[in-house]
Amino acid sequence: MKILFVSLGCDKNLVDSEVMLGLLRDRHHVITNDEAEAEVIVVNTCSFIHDAREESIQTILEMAELKKSGQCRLLIVTGCLAEKYKDEILEELPEVDAVVGTTAYDRICDVIDRSLEGERVQSFESIDRLPLVNTRRVLTTGGYSSYLKIGEGCDKHCTYCIIPKLRGNYRSVPLENVLKDARQLAESGVTEINIVAQETTTWGKDIYGEKRLPMLLKELCKVEGIRWIRLLYCYPEEITDELIQVIKEEPKICHYLDMPIQHSSDAILKRMGRRTSRQELEDIIGKLRREIPDIALRTTLITGFPGETEEDHENLKSFVETMGFDRLGVFTYSPEEGTPAERMPDQVPEEVKEERRDELMLLQQQISAEKTEQMVGKNLDVLVEGRIPEEGIYVGRTYRDAPEVDGYIFINAEEEIISGDFVTVKVTGADEYDLTGDVIYEFTE
Ligand code: F3S
């Protein structure tokens, strides 16, 4: 069958999509981007916040229209929206032929077979199942950078978050499976792996009875061909001295840490069900900066959580100002059905949430400009991702830039560079988020 695959949502969901694509390829289905020729359409959905849900529903509706007009015989909905709203989807969208839950995506080929025979399939498993699949993922992120998922689900139960309901409690992907995935990625030319999970820092606790991320990282560093290992989704209270030491000592691990903290006011952190205080956050950030002076820190924040006062917001502004994050994402609070925060009193009006978000983003713009300015004159290794032909320049990322969410460096080069190459670049200019520079020599290894 010719299959059109649409992946929505986060990088964890993207890994699930890539696994499904691998399984479909193994069964000799053909993956197509051409809507007109698709015989099966799979939409892997997100249901994290209201906007993501809207996007998922919109996409399903568009694909349902396509099904009426084109070659398409089956429309299959997988992922987080399917997990939460399977009955509603089947009831309200007669064009949908099958729904597949977040822990049953490895059944995709079987679902297609059964649907083709006329069954309206609902494929769901226990929310705490961990599919371990023996396939080579089909990479959708270019040939040289990929996400590596080391865990599924989350035990933290922050009061605003729906993820444990959609993805279950935390399960670590066993060491041998993580390493196999990493080796396969390296064999297919990947040089940068970005480690993801709902949270990466408690990896191993369910298997070994204690956190073992440092050990996993050391093993991943041994995988030949991998040049950069980048850690995303770290929880501040789980960042141990041992972890800091490994980041410091292992040359393959980028001096970069993504550590979502959401807020700094103790009152709001408590209502959010977070386990750290402002003081503890300041302590861990201080330690990271002392131990690894060139570390780039990324965090995400939420404005307008229920009960957030002007004073709490001022607290957050002063925190952003004093901590000087290298990268920052700010989101407005979105009340999610079935979470404790949805039922909390003192919900904040939408316009106030947005004003506070904009204020923080503006503040961060100045901080980011200062940070990028400090890079001018430095020599940095850059992973080249492409060329802008009209301008005759190349685009890449430094260790300070995670794919999709951070900045870029625009590079002048005398000789041709292939996407995926590493080059060393002298930084010659900066704006708020991006850098410019000249290649000073080709990296040889
Ligand atoms: Fe969305 Fe599910 Fe990811 S809700 S953000 S696709 S874990």
Side-chain angles (χ1 to χ4, degrees):
M1 305 292 288
K2 291 193 175 126
I3 300 186
L4 177 72
F5 203 104
V6 185
S7 188
L8 302 169
C10 63
D11 37 39
K12 280 83 72 180
N13 210 36
L14 184 66
V15 174
D16 296 350
S17 294
E18 292 179 342
V19 171
M20 282 190 264
L21 286 166
L23 292 168
L24 294 168
R25 178 211 46 215
D26 295 350
R27 282 284 283 270
H28 309 293
H29 292 298
V30 176
I31 313 300
T32 178
N33 286 324
D34 184 348
E35 295 181 346
E37 70 167 17
E39 296 166 287
V40 177
I41 300 176
V42 182
V43 185
N44 194 19
T45 57
C46 175
S47 186
F48 187 40
I49 54 171
H50 176 263
D51 289 356
R53 227 167 11 248
E54 284 296 299
E55 188 192 10
S56 293
I57 294 167
Q58 204 44 47
T59 308
I60 298 168
L61 291 174
E62 278 165 29
M63 296 302 140
E65 274 309 303
L66 202 66
K67 193 183 163 199
K68 286 182 201 154
S69 56
Q71 300 279 326
C72 180
R73 293 171 61 190
L74 296 180
L75 174 56
I76 298 173
V77 178
T78 64
C80 292
L81 192 81
E83 185 67 48
K84 184 141 198 290
Y85 297 106
K86 66 170 182 294
D87 296 334
E88 290 86 341
I89 292 172
L90 288 174
E91 257 169 52
E92 284 165 35
L93 293 165
E95 296 85 357
V96 174
D97 299 282
V99 277
V100 180
T102 53
T103 56
Y105 60 84
D106 54 327
R107 312 271 196 256
I108 187 70
C109 295
D110 173 51
V111 169
I112 290 177
D113 293 346
R114 285 163 56 197
S115 300
L116 283 172
E117 281 165 21
E119 186 186 343
R120 208 164 183 223
V121 184
Q122 299 186 41
S123 186
F124 288 82
E125 293 283 344
S126 148
I127 197 71
D128 285 323
R129 176 175 181 257
L130 180 65
L132 293 173
V133 178
N134 193 15
T135 185
R136 197 177 274 264
R137 281 194 263 151
V138 171
L139 295 184
T140 57
T141 47
Y144 37 82
S145 176
S146 178
Y147 297 102
L148 183 72
K149 186 155 87 165
I150 63 168
E152 183 58 272
C154 186
D155 292 337
K156 298 287 190 198
H157 296 281
C158 299
T159 56
Y160 51 84
C161 186
I162 192 74
I163 295 294
K165 287 215 167 87
L166 302 174
R167 296 262 167 184
N169 282 323
Y170 194 82
R171 290 93 75 202
S172 306
V173 177
L175 177 66
E176 56 277 18
N177 296 73
V178 176
L179 290 177
K180 185 174 172 201
D181 198 4
R183 285 188 198 112
Q184 286 182 346
L185 292 173
E187 278 162 23
S188 49
V190 167
T191 49
E192 176 192 43
I193 54 175
N194 299 283
I195 298 187
V196 298
Q198 294 305 333
E199 60 136 329
T200 51
T201 23
T202 51
W203 183 87
K205 213 167 180 179
D206 52 323
I207 299 178
Y208 306 103
E210 61 179 17
K211 295 178 285 206
R212 289 273 183 95
L213 182 61
M215 178 272 276
L216 174 66
L217 288 173
K218 282 186 189 163
E219 290 302 315
L220 284 171
C221 287
K222 293 179 194 159
V223 175
E224 234 175 277
I226 299 297
R227 278 275 313 264
W228 278 356
I229 297 173
R230 186 186 299 281
L231 262 181
L232 305 178
Y233 307 108
C234 300
Y235 268 59
E237 71 267 23
E238 308 287 4
I239 295 172
T240 59
D241 290 350
E242 193 190 358
L243 179 60
I244 295 174
Q245 222 34 48
V246 174
I247 299 172
K248 198 171 159 181
E249 284 167 5
E250 288 285 354
K252 287 187 180 183
I253 303 179
C254 294
H255 287 181
Y256 177 102
L257 207 71
D258 166 56
M259 181 178 64
I261 58 163
Q262 316 305 2
H263 217 283
S264 62
S265 150
D266 288 347
I268 297 295
L269 286 167
K270 197 156 175 231
R271 288 163 80 97
M272 286 178 158
R274 308 283 300 179
R275 293 140 206 234
T276 36
S277 63
R278 174 168 175 153
Q279 189 56 54
E280 284 160 339
L281 289 169
E282 287 182 6
D283 290 348
I284 182 71
I285 291 164
K287 191 190 274 181
L288 281 162
R289 289 239 160 89
R290 261 193 323 279
E291 293 290 326
I292 313 171
D294 63 345
I295 196 162
L297 291 177
R298 177 181 180 83
T299 197
T300 45
L301 302 172
I302 296 174
T303 59
F305 188 77
E308 187 192 52
T309 60
E310 201 46 50
E311 199 184 322
D312 294 317
H313 177 58
E314 286 303 318
N315 180 314
L316 191 52
K317 270 166 64 184
S318 78
F319 186 79
V320 167
E321 224 160 353
T322 44
M323 290 300 105
F325 291 102
D326 301 82
R327 310 291 185 195
L328 179 70
V330 188
F331 302 92
T332 56
Y333 167 71
S334 160
E336 291 313 310
E337 197 190 312
T339 59
E342 185 215 6
R343 298 185 300 275
M344 283 182 184
D346 306 319
Q347 297 281 330
V348 176
E350 211 51 47
E351 61 274 17
V352 176
K353 296 177 191 172
E354 285 169 16
E355 267 168 38
R356 290 176 180 171
R357 175 200 59 201
D358 295 347
E359 224 181 306
L360 287 171
M361 287 310 287
L362 205 62
L363 177 59
Q364 178 62 23
Q365 202 173 10
Q366 296 158 20
I367 295 168
S368 180
E370 283 161 28
K371 296 272 176 185
T372 51
E373 189 59 40
Q374 287 165 12
M375 290 295 118
V376 175
K378 290 192 189 317
N379 294 344
L380 298 175
D381 284 351
V382 172
L383 172 55
V384 179
E385 295 205 291
R387 184 165 181 267
I388 307 175
E390 317 83 67
E391 298 180 35
I393 55 173
Y394 293 88
V395 191
R397 287 183 289 109
T398 70
Y399 78 91
R400 300 171 56 79
D401 309 301
E404 304 293 326
V405 288
D406 293 334
Y408 290 101
I409 181 162
F410 298 95
I411 317 155
N412 298 301
E414 311 254 299
E415 290 167 27
E416 196 186 339
I417 320 172
I418 313 281
S419 292
D421 278 358
F422 279 85
V423 291
T424 303
V425 175
K426 186 177 193 69
V427 181
T428 54
D431 65 18
E432 285 96 347
Y433 304 110
D434 302 318
L435 302 173
T436 47
D438 301 328
V439 173
I440 53 173
Y441 60 88
E442 288 245 2
F443 190 89
T444 48
E445 193 179 58

